Amino acid sequence: MLDYDFMRTAFAASGVVALVAGAVGYFLVLRGQTFAGHALAHVGFTGATGAVLLGAAPLWGLVVATLAAGIGMGAAGERLAQRDVAIGLVLALALGLGLLFLHFYTAFATQATALLFGNVLAVDSETLRTLLALGAVSLAALAVIARPLLFASLQPELAEARGVSPRLYGVAFLALVALATAGCAQIVGVLLVFALMVGPAATAQRLTGGVGSGVALSAALALAEAWLGLALAYYTDWPTSFWITALSAAVYLFAHIRVGA
Amino acid sequence: MSAIILRDVRLALGGRVVLDRVSLDIPAGAFVGVLGPNGAGKTTLLRAVLGLVPPRQGTLRVLGQPPSRGNAAIGYMPQARGLLATLPLRGWDFVAGAVNGHRLGLPVLGKLERAEVDRVLDLVGAGALARRPLTDLSGGERQRLLLAQALIGRPRLLLLDEPLISLDPHHQHGVVDLVKSVQRELGVTVLFSAHELNPLLGALDLVLYLGGGQAALGTVEEVITGPVLSRLYGAPIDVVRLGGRIFVMSGGHDMEHDAHRHDVAEAGHDHA
Ligand SMILES: Nc1ncnc2c1ncn2[C@@H]1O[C@H](COP(=O)(O)OP(=O)(O)OP(=O)(O)O)[C@@H](O)[C@H]1O
Ligand SMILES: [Mg+2]
């Protein structure tokens, strides 16, 4: 399986994306902002289709659109970032616009499927380099802000009194979520970003009550699910995104049954 | 020495004046019950002391200094939110999240920082509690952890915003006794906001009663009287003493108890 170039690229790409998604996703779930993450992915769809229309790489459209939306949502305040109706409307509008952009583009069906459901086997070496760079930047940024971010997430009023601005870290964090989302969209597609961003994190929080152990477990689970999904896809010839979502859901369910008992 | 001094202070939020022309001195080492109906400005006053709500007028001094954000000499327990009960964390990790939480970097605690977490947990007798997940704790047990968190960094002034919210009378007394014993042991000044006076009666040195944009500070005998409270509520108030308990009544209604009931409904809402 690893004799093939495209498989090695796929393993590397999904590996780095999964690590970022697992770590960032831990804080996303902790902060109760999973729906905001979902909406960012949809905005990414608009960005990607817009980029395709302009003849640019979809990944850059994804990055630019999610970053802009993430920072905008963060600046609008914690409250908006958790407000379902506003987010839901943005989400629907974003998908609709993306559809319009695709309408003007000729190779409609393949592009749409790849963006919506991912196509990790089609990642080329240039995209891989971009993903590696984005991943390194995201993880480094998270490592720098993790401590005040955790404080502001757990105790916003106390953090504010201690001179930590929950607003500032809210914006910085959603920018990170935007980068992680753009990466995930390359692997599992915008519709299935939950599988890597939320599934492993929610499972980890179910299994451990520690912060350090939670982040580590979340990243490890995401990595394992992504790689195992890729291997299963190779042997079954079923889509990778299906296997990753199936593993993510199964592991979450298993953790629930085990701990819930 | 005074822990907090207000001179002709006006506090406002948006366009709304919450406290106006308030002057008072809170002596160091006192246990002060901050009372008043919903919206009277208890939280706003505490946030002003923290430097989060700058006075529109007048001067405010906290431990001899103008208020400033990030003052490590102040411990703060924010008004409880339902969120705490749903956090997927062990108590220890929750309390630890506030230790040097303003520093950049990974949230990995050094040896001294871990010792600080254990110290504050021991102070409130929550060493064993802290090993359990927050979701498994009772409201009173979670308040214990919040109090521990407020004690991080050895503050000289403790601001506790409604620690008794949604606790039954038995647990209310447990929390009040705990705060009182911590206050005695550490010699700190405590501002303890609450809706009801009675649970605090045994612990209080002074009452700070807020209402109608005004404030009255003094002993229970000085402040909890018909004339003073009538001025604050802007309506005729009767104070009824019954078997060691005090009831603040307006036209036959128990004001504090009504406010408290309203609050329990709110807290229940949060959990849903
Ligand atoms: N952002 C705001 N803009 C304008 N007014 C506000 C704002 N936030 C709060 N207020 C008002 O300020 C007043 C004081 O609120 P505060 O929270 O200090 O009262 P409180 O005594 O703590 O009440 P509670 O018992 O309900 O906690 C309230 O009437 C409230 O409606
Ligand atoms: Mg309040």
Side-chain angles (χ1 to χ4, degrees):
Chain A
M1 162 167 81
L2 289 176
D3 291 341
Y4 295 102
D5 219 22
F6 72 93
M7 281 309 283
R8 283 201 301 273
T9 306
F11 269 100
S14 57
V16 66
V17 165
L19 285 178
V20 175
V24 172
Y26 180 88
F27 290 94
L28 190 69
V29 176
L30 188 69
R31 291 167 64 82
Q33 289 183 317
T34 54
F35 196 46
H38 192 58
L40 282 182
H42 286 63
V43 173
F45 178 70
T46 317
T49 51
V52 169
L53 197 61
L54 295 174
L59 179 54
W60 286 111
L62 266 167
V63 170
V64 170
T66 49
L67 258 184
I71 292 169
M73 265 158 107
E78 302 273 293
R79 284 167 168 254
L80 182 76
Q82 283 159 352
R83 206 163 274 166
D84 295 355
V85 175
I87 295 173
L89 280 173
V90 170
L91 187 152
L93 176 67
L95 267 187
L97 269 178
L99 179 70
L100 180 69
F101 292 162
L102 276 184
H103 173 75
F104 294 122
Y105 188 74
T106 35
F108 179 87
T110 38
Q111 269 300 345
T113 319
L115 284 172
L116 289 174
F117 298 107
N119 189 1
V120 63
L121 299 179
V123 170
D124 56 23
S125 58
E126 196 197 321
T127 310
L128 175 61
R129 274 197 300 277
T130 312
L131 286 177
L132 287 174
L134 281 178
V137 168
S138 306
L139 285 180
L142 183 62
V144 170
I145 67 164
R147 192 169 189 151
L149 174 67
L150 178 71
F151 190 17
S153 306
L154 296 179
Q155 274 284 42
E157 291 95 346
L158 182 58
E160 198 186 3
R162 288 266 174 271
V164 174
S165 162
R167 191 71 166 268
L168 177 72
Y169 283 97
V171 174
F173 177 64
L174 279 179
L176 268 182
V177 175
L179 290 183
T181 304
C184 283
Q186 283 291 309
I187 308 301
V188 289
V190 294
L191 288 183
L192 306 178
V193 162
F194 248 56
L196 284 177
M197 289 271 277
V198 176
T203 307
Q205 289 178 6
R206 193 75 201 170
L207 295 175
T208 170
V211 174
S213 56
V215 175
L217 183 59
S218 175
L221 280 173
L223 184 69
E225 288 165 13
W227 279 358
L228 196 59
L230 203 51
L232 285 167
Y234 179 81
Y235 289 113
T236 58
D237 205 26
W238 293 6
T240 315
S241 300
F242 162 75
W243 280 118
I244 295 177
T245 49
L247 286 169
S248 173
V251 171
Y252 178 71
L253 215 67
F254 180 75
H256 245 273
I257 293 167
R258 235 203 57 179
V259 179
Chain B
M1 201 201 102
S2 296
I4 301 175
I5 301 174
L6 277 77
R7 285 286 170 276
D8 211 22
V9 165
R10 170 187 289 173
L11 297 178
L13 294 171
R16 198 188 143 89
V17 174
V18 180
L19 290 177
D20 201 13
R21 294 173 171 274
V22 171
S23 295
L24 47 88
D25 285 29
I26 293 177
F31 187 122
V32 183
V34 182
L35 292 157
N38 286 115
K42 303 181 289 295
T43 300
T44 308
L45 176 65
L46 298 185
R47 287 172 60 82
V49 171
L50 287 164
L52 296 174
V53 180
R56 295 279 170 96
Q57 196 186 296
T59 46
L60 175 56
R61 286 281 175 282
V62 179
L63 302 170
Q65 310 276 331
S68 72
R69 276 177 72 181
N71 187 342
I74 310 177
Y76 176 43
M77 172 171 164
Q79 195 161 339
R81 300 158 301 137
L83 197 74
L84 189 55
T86 64
L87 283 176
L89 291 182
R90 242 179 291 127
W92 199 95
D93 287 76
F94 173 75
V95 173
V99 178
N100 288 329
H102 60 284
R103 292 204 186 141
L104 292 178
L106 292 172
V108 178
L109 269 54
K111 209 169 160 191
L112 285 177
E113 292 171 328
R114 301 178 68 84
E116 175 67 359
V117 178
D118 292 332
R119 183 185 72 87
V120 293
L121 285 171
D122 281 346
L123 269 175
V124 302
L129 272 187
R131 284 196 286 275
R132 289 163 49 195
L134 288 173
T135 44
D136 290 2
L137 300 180
S138 73
E141 291 169 334
R142 279 193 287 270
Q143 298 293 43
R144 227 167 238 269
L145 295 180
L146 285 169
L147 180 61
Q149 206 173 39
L151 292 169
I152 288 171
R154 302 175 188 266
R156 286 187 289 146
L157 171 61
L158 211 48
L159 308 179
L160 310 176
D161 203 355
E162 311 239 7
L164 304 184
I165 218 161
S166 71
L167 296 184
D168 61 37
H170 174 71
H171 284 97
Q172 289 186 350
H173 279 288
V175 171
V176 172
D177 290 348
L178 177 64
V179 174
K180 186 70 188 172
S181 74
V182 167
Q183 185 231 359
R184 279 214 192 93
E185 200 176 325
L186 305 180
V188 293
T189 312
V190 174
L191 264 64
F192 188 121
S193 89
H195 271 117
E196 269 193 290
L197 174 64
N198 288 310
L200 291 173
L201 275 181
L204 283 177
D205 298 315
L206 295 171
V207 183
L208 173 54
Y209 215 110
L210 307 181
Q214 315 212 7
L217 176 71
T219 60
V220 173
E221 286 70 30
E222 288 163 352
V223 173
I224 309 301
T225 63
V228 172
L229 294 185
S230 300
R231 179 169 62 84
L232 295 179
Y233 276 96
I237 298 282
D238 293 316
V239 174
V240 180
R241 285 162 205 264
L242 202 72
R245 291 165 61 83
I246 302 178
F247 298 92
V248 177
M249 314 283 285
S250 168
H253 287 289
D254 177 347
M255 300 294 283
E256 292 184 335
H257 194 251
D258 286 350
H260 183 69
R261 269 215 308 267
H262 167 71
D263 223 71
V264 169
E266 268 186 358
H269 207 75
D270 273 349
H271 283 276

